[in-house]
Amino acid sequence: MNHLDKRYFLVLGGSKDSLKLVKTLKQLGKLVLLVDKNQECICKKLADLFICYSIWDHENIIDQIKDLQIAISLTRSSGYASVSCIKINNF
């Protein structure tokens, strides 16, 4: 088993735009940690773990994931969500 198999792939944003990304990760057997401020987002039911925060709120996201093993943070969003993604990957 690869060491990445035990790590979460953190996806910022659970809207329809992220659906293909989340489905592909799940088909590859990856653990998905989804972050979205919408409790009813379309990707939530596919995620292994869900955190309800704005994808712009990297400080609180980092605080919530500090004890988890994260392989990488990914997003299909643009703008400040991309900055959050970079900050999470660098923590």
Side-chain angles (χ1 to χ4, degrees):
M1 178 182 284
N2 185 318
H3 74 284
L4 291 179
D5 292 339
K6 296 180 183 177
R7 293 183 171 192
Y8 288 96
F9 284 69
L10 190 152
V11 177
L12 293 174
S15 71
K16 183 174 69 172
D17 292 341
S18 298
L19 193 55
K20 184 170 179 132
L21 171 61
V22 173
K23 282 183 175 180
T24 300
L25 288 169
K26 294 307 296 174
Q27 288 170 351
L28 292 171
K30 304 303 179 190
L31 295 172
V32 173
L33 168 54
L34 182 67
V35 178
D36 197 287
K37 67 180 179 181
N38 179 2
Q39 286 276 3
E40 305 300 320
C41 65
I42 192 167
C43 293
K44 182 179 178 182
K45 63 183 179 239
L46 299 172
D48 297 288
L49 286 177
F50 177 78
I51 296 174
C52 187
Y53 277 123
S54 167
I55 60 176
W56 294 6
D57 192 358
H58 64 271
E59 291 173 349
N60 277 323
I61 295 168
I62 289 170
D63 189 52
Q64 289 292 310
I65 66 170
K66 63 186 173 198
D67 294 327
L68 298 174
Q69 291 185 356
I70 305 296
I72 193 165
S73 173
L74 306 163
T75 188
R76 292 269 301 131
S77 299
S78 60
Y80 198 74
S82 298
V83 174
S84 290
C85 195
I86 292 166
K87 289 183 182 276
I88 293 167
N89 282 331
N90 288 330
F91 114 89

